[in-house]
C-alpha cells in the first residue's frame, strides 16, 4: 500500500496515458483508414524495401522523412545514371517507388531509365560486350521496364504518363505495334492523355497483324470526324489499309495526302520538353 | 472600507486568458532573443539551392522535387524546433530564477504551462508561415519559368494543338503552387503542437533539458515509426505474440505522429476533404488537453 501512496501521482499519470490511449486508438485507426483511402497518407513501404535500405535511409524513413529520403535517393540515382550503373539505379528506384508508390513521376523516371537509356546503352555503347550478351541484356532491361511500368500502373491505375512511357518501350525498343496500340487504347479517356494518342492508337493498330479491319474502321471514324485529324500519317495509314484489305475503289478515300509541314530538326539528344540527355 | 475587502474576497478565475497571453508574449520574446529565427536563413538557402538544381528531368518532376524537399524540411524544422524550444524553456526559467518570480505572483501553474505552450506555438506558426512564403515564392517562380519555356517550345514546334498545349501547362500547374499546400503547412503545425505538449509534459519531471530533448525525439521517432515498423517486425518475427503485445503497449502509450504526416499526400497533389482536417484539429486538441492535464498533475505540487 505504501508503494501506491508514494507513487500515487506516477500511477495517475500512467492511468491517464493508458485511458487516453485506449480511447483514441479506435478513432485514430478510423482516421488512418480514411487518410489512406483519400491517398493523403502513404501505406507502409514493402518489407523488401525496408530491408534493402541503408541504415540512415531506414532511420529517415521511420522518422517521418520519407519523402526527403525518396528525393535524396532519386538525386543519388542520377549519379548511377551518369555512370551507366543500371543495376544500382534500378535497386534505388525500387526503394524510391516503394517509399512513394503514388508519385507517378518516380515510375516514369525508372521506366525511362531502364527501358530507354539502359537499353540504348547496351545497344549502341557496349561494343566490348559480345553480341549475344548485349541482346540478352537488352531483352532483360525491356522486360524489367515493362514489369516496373505495370507495377506503377497497379499503384496508379489512372496514370497516363506511366502508360505513355511504357508505350515508348514497346514502340521504340521492342518495335511491338500490337502492345503499343494496347497501351495507347488504355490511355484513351484518362486525364492527362495527350491529344495525339487518339490517332497514335489507330496508327499502331494498323501495323498490328490481324487487327487491320479494326484499325481501318477506327481510322475511318477519325477521318470522318473532321479536318483536325486529317494529318499526313492518317492518310498514309488509311491508304495502306485500303491496299491490305482490298477496299473497293469507290469506297476508298479520295483526298490526296496533305503536305507535311517543314519541321525544324532537333539534336538527337534532346527529348520533348527540352530535356538534354547527357 | 467595504470596497477592498470585497475585492479580496472575490474569487480569482480558474484560468485567466490575460495571464496566459502575458506569459506567451514573454516566451515569444525569450525565444526571439535566443535567435531562433536564424534557422530561417538556412531554410531560405536550401530552398534557393533546390530551386536551382539543374537535373535532366521534366518540369513536373522538378517542381514535385522542390515541393517535397521544401515541405519535408519545413516539417522537420517545425517538430525539431517545437521539441528543442519547449525543452529549453522551463529549465531556463528555473536557472534564471524567473520561475520563482512568476509563480510568486497570482499566476496559476496551468496558466504558466499554457502560456509557455502558446509562446512556442506562436513561434512555430510564424516560422512555418515564413517558410511557406519562401517556398511558395520559389515554386511559383519556377512554375512560371517552366510554363513560359514549355509554351515557347511547343509553339515553336508548331505540331501541338491548343488543347495539347493547355494539357501540358495543366500538368505543370498540377505540380506547382496550389492553395491546398497551405493545409500541408497546417498539418506540420498540428504535428509540432502535439510534440510540443508532449515535451512540456516530459519537462515537468525531467532533470535536464538534454534529457527532455533526447526522450522527446525518441518518442517522436517511435510515434512516427510504430505503425510502419510494427508490420515489419511482425513480418520478421512471424507474428510473434510477444511482438504483438509490445506493439499494442507502444501504440497505447505513445502518440501516433504518422497520422499527422498527411501533408505528404497534399504535396503529391491529392485533394483534401476539409472534414478530415477538422478531425485532425479535434485530435490535436485532445492531445493538448490530456497532456496539459497530465503535466499539471506533475507540476502542480512540484517544489522549486
Amino acid at each position: 500500500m505504501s508503494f501506491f501512496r508514494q507513487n500515487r501521482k506516477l500511477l495517475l499519470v500512467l492511468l491517464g496515458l493508458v485511458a487516453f490511449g485506449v480511447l483514441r486508438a479506435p478513432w485514430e485507426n478510423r482516421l488512418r483508414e480514411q487518410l489512406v483511402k483519400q491517398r493523403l497518407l502513404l501505406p507502409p513501404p514493402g518489407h523488401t524495401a525496408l530491408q534493402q535500405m541503408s541504415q540512415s535511409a531506414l532511420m529517415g524513413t521511420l522518422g517521418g522523412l520519407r519523402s526527403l529520403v525518396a528525393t535524396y535517393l532519386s538525386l543519388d540515382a542520377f549519379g548511377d545514371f551518369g555512370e551507366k550503373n543500371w543495376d544500382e539505379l534500378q535497386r534505388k528506384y525500387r526503394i524510391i517507388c516503394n517509399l512513394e508508390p503514388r508519385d507517378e513521376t518516380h515510375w516514369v523516371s525508372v521506366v525511362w531509365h531502364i527501358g530507354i537509356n539502359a537499353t540504348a546503352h547496351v545497344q549502341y555503347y557496349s561494343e566490348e560486350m559480345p553480341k549475344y550478351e548485349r541482346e540478352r541484356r537488352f531483352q532483360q532491361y525491356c522486360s524489367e521496364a515493362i514489369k516496373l511500368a505495370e507495377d506503377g500502373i497497379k499503384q496508379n491505375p489512372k496514370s497516363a504518363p506511366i502508360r505513355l512511357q511504357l508505350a515508348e518501350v514497346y514502340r521504340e525498343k521492342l518495335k511491338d505495334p500490337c502492345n503499343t496500340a494496347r497501351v495507347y487504347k488504355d490511355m484513351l479517356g484518362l486525364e492527362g492523355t495527350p491529344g495525339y494518342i487518339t490517332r497514335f492508337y489507330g496508327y499502331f493498330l494498323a501495323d498490328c497483324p490481324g487487327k487491320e479491319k479494326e484499325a481501318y474502321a477506327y481510322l475511318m471514324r477519325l477521318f470522318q470526324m473532321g479536318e483536325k485529324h486529317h494529318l499526313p500519317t492518317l492518310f498514309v495509314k488509311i491508304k495502306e489499309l485500303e491496299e491490305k484489305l482490298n477496299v473497293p475503289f469507290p469506297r476508298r478515300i479520295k483526298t490526296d495526302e496533305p503536305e507535311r509541314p517543314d519541321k525544324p530538326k532537333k539534336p538527337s539528344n534532346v527529348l520533348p520538353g527540352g530535356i538534354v540527355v547527357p | 472600507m467595504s470596497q477592498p475587502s470585497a475585492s479580496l474576497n472575490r474569487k480569482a478565475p480558474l484560468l485567466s486568458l490575460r495571464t496566459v497571453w502575458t506569459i506567451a508574449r514573454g516566451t515569444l520574446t525569450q525565444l526571439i532573443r535566443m535567435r531562433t529565427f536564424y534557422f530561417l536563413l538556412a531554410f531560405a538557402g536550401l530552398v534557393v539551392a533546390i530551386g536551382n538544381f539543374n537535373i535532366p528531368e521534366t518540369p513536373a518532376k522538378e517542381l514535385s522535387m522542390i515541393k517535397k524537399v521544401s515541405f519535408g524540411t519545413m516539417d522537420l524544422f517545425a517538430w525539431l524546433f517545437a521539441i528543442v524550444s519547449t525543452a529549453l524553456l522551463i529549465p531556463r526559467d528555473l536557472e534564471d530564477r524567473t520561475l520563482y518570480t512568476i509563480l510568486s505572483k497570482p499566476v496559476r501553474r496551468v496558466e504558466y504551462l499554457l502560456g509557455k505552450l502558446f509562446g512556442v506555438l506562436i513561434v512555430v506558426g510564424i516560422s512555418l508561415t515564413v517558410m511557406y512564403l519562401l517556398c511558395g515564392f520559389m515554386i511559383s517562380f519556377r512554375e512560371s519559368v517552366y510554363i513560359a519555356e514549355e509554351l515557347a517550345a511547343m509553339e515553336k514546334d508548331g505540331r501541338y494543338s491548343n488543347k495539347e498545349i493547355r494539357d501540358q501547362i495543366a500538368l505543370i500547374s498540377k505540380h506547382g503552387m496550389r492553395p491546398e499546400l497551405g493545409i500541408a503547412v497546417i498539418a506540420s503545425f498540428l504535428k509540432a503542437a502535439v510534440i510540443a505538449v508532449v515535451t512540456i509534459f516530459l519537462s515537468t519531471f525531467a532533470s535536464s533539458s538534454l534529457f527532455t530533448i533526447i526522450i522527446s525525439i525518441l518518442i517522436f521517432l517511435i510515434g512516427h515509426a510504430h505503425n510502419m515498423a510494427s508490420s515489419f517486425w511482425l513480418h520478421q518475427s512471424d507474428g510473434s505474440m510477444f511482438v504483438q503485445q509490445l506493439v499494442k503497449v507502444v501504440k497505447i502509450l505513445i502518440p501516433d505522429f504518422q497520422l499527422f504526416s498527411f501533408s505528404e499526400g497534399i504535396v503529391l497533389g491529392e485533394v483534401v476533404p476539409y472534414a478530415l482536417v477538422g478531425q485532425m484539429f479535434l485530435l490535436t486538441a485532445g492531445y493538448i488537453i490530456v497532456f496539459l492535464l497530465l503535466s499539471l498533475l506533475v507540476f502542480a505540487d512540484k517544489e522549486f
Side-chain angles (χ1 to χ4, degrees), chain A residues 8-9 12-22 24-25 27-35 38-48 50-51 58-59 61-68 70-71 74-75 78 81 93 100 102-107 109 112-113 161 191-197 199 261-264 266 272-278, chain B residues 50 53 55-61 64-65 68-70 72-73 75-76 79 150 153 156-157 159-161 163-164 167 171 174-175 191 201 205 220-221 224-229 231-232 235-236 250-256 258-266 268 270-273 276 279-280 282-284 286-287 290-291 294 297-302:
Chain A
R8 201 169 55 101
K9 220 168 243 179
L12 273 175
V13 167
L14 265 176
L15 199 71
L17 273 176
V18 171
F20 181 55
V22 169
R24 70 180 158 78
W27 185 17
E28 285 185 342
N29 288 342
R30 266 201 314 277
L31 260 174
R32 174 180 298 281
E33 276 170 27
Q34 283 175 299
L35 288 167
Q38 293 289 336
R39 299 166 67 94
L40 290 167
L41 213 59
L42 295 168
H47 302 131
T48 41
L50 290 175
Q51 274 163 345
L58 183 68
M59 277 308 292
T61 306
L62 294 177
L65 308 173
R66 200 161 156 173
S67 48
L68 280 183
T71 308
S74 56
L75 286 174
F78 266 100
F81 172 39
Y93 264 102
E100 292 189 322
R102 285 165 184 172
D103 188 343
E104 61 185 11
T105 60
H106 294 319
W107 296 103
S109 290
W112 177 62
H113 280 307
E191 195 189 330
T193 299
Y196 63 81
I197 296 301
R199 294 187 298 276
D262 286 336
K263 209 169 76 178
K266 270 190 199 166
I275 301 163
V276 181
V277 180
Chain B
I50 196 77
F53 261 13
I55 45 172
E57 271 296 0
T58 57
K61 174 127 191 184
S64 165
M65 194 178 281
K68 278 194 278 186
V69 173
S70 311
T73 315
D75 197 60
L76 173 74
W79 68 256
E150 295 279 278
K156 194 178 163 196
D157 199 302
R159 286 180 300 145
Y160 301 99
S161 66
K163 188 189 173 293
E164 283 164 351
D167 285 348
L171 176 72
K174 186 186 160 192
H175 290 279
K191 192 194 274 185
F201 166 63
F205 57 79
F220 180 80
L221 292 178
H224 221 292
H226 62 51
N227 188 56
M228 219 186 296
S231 78
F232 183 64
H235 173 78
Q236 296 279 71
V250 170
K251 276 187 179 178
I252 282 177
L253 290 180
I254 296 180
D256 185 350
Q258 214 218 343
L259 267 185
F260 295 87
S261 295
F262 61 97
S263 57
E264 287 175 353
I266 303 172
L268 287 180
E270 299 298 341
V271 183
V272 203
L276 268 180
Q279 286 201 59
M280 292 309 294
L282 281 178
L283 184 65
T284 311
Y287 272 114
V290 170
F291 275 90
L294 293 177
L297 202 65
V298 182
F299 196 60
D301 302 329
K302 198 164 180 172

Side-chain angles (χ1 to χ4, degrees), chain A residues 38-237:
Chain A
Q38 293 289 336
R39 299 166 67 94
L40 290 167
L41 213 59
L42 295 168
H47 302 131
T48 41
L50 290 175
Q51 274 163 345
Q52 282 176 0
M53 264 183 237
S54 65
Q55 217 166 10
S56 49
L58 183 68
M59 277 308 292
T61 306
L62 294 177
L65 308 173
R66 200 161 156 173
S67 48
L68 280 183
V69 171
T71 308
Y72 166 75
L73 283 174
S74 56
L75 286 174
D76 197 25
F78 266 100
D80 299 313
F81 172 39
E83 289 162 17
K84 320 278 188 289
N85 192 352
W86 307 114
D87 297 325
E88 186 56 21
L89 181 139
Q90 197 181 158
R91 191 189 68 79
K92 280 179 191 154
Y93 264 102
R94 278 272 173 209
I95 301 172
I96 297 165
C97 292
N98 257 300
L99 287 177
E100 292 189 322
R102 285 165 184 172
D103 188 343
E104 61 185 11
T105 60
H106 294 319
W107 296 103
V108 173
S109 290
V110 68
V111 177
W112 177 62
H113 280 307
I114 302 300
I116 306 293
N117 300 328
T119 48
H121 184 240
V122 290
Q123 263 181 311
Y124 307 114
Y125 303 101
S126 304
E127 281 157 4
E128 75 288 351
M129 234 184 259
K131 192 174 176 231
Y132 180 75
E133 181 62 23
R134 271 194 282 167
E135 283 173 3
R136 185 165 65 186
R137 286 206 188 177
F138 175 83
Q139 287 301 330
Q140 183 197 333
Y141 285 141
C142 284
S143 356
E144 279 167 359
I146 292 167
K147 172 83 178 59
L148 283 162
E150 281 167 354
D151 288 350
I153 291 167
K154 260 185 222 155
Q155 296 287 343
N156 304 276
K158 291 179 183 164
S159 169
I162 303 176
R163 287 184 172 86
L164 196 62
Q165 202 59 62
L166 171 63
E168 207 176 317
V169 176
Y170 280 127
R171 191 185 75 207
E172 299 296 324
K173 299 292 168 177
L174 295 169
K175 314 285 182 206
D176 178 351
C178 299
N179 272 314
T180 309
R182 176 183 59 80
V183 178
Y184 283 148
K185 190 181 180 186
D186 285 350
M187 287 176 74
L188 298 176
L190 289 181
E191 195 189 330
T193 299
Y196 63 81
I197 296 301
T198 323
R199 294 187 298 276
F200 272 36
Y201 163 55
Y203 298 165
F204 286 90
L205 196 65
D207 291 335
C208 177
K211 296 280 181 183
E212 291 85 359
K213 275 188 185 168
E214 198 184 321
Y216 180 69
Y218 180 81
L219 289 175
M220 282 307 287
R221 269 206 308 278
L222 280 187
F223 180 78
Q224 281 151 6
M225 272 166 78
E227 284 199 356
K228 74 169 185 175
H229 288 299
H230 290 188
L231 294 166
T233 314
L234 184 82
F235 283 86
V236 171
K237 291 289 172 193

Side-chain angles (χ1 to χ4, degrees), chain B residues 129-161:
Chain B
T129 311
V130 173
M131 287 192 279
Y132 178 56
L133 292 176
L134 275 171
C135 84
F137 173 75
M138 178 50 83
I139 295 167
S140 306
F141 171 69
R142 296 303 299 179
E143 187 184 346
S144 60
V145 168
Y146 288 137
I147 287 177
E149 281 174 1
E150 295 279 278
L151 268 177
M154 289 177 94
E155 276 166 5
K156 194 178 163 196
D157 199 302
R159 286 180 300 145
Y160 301 99
S161 66

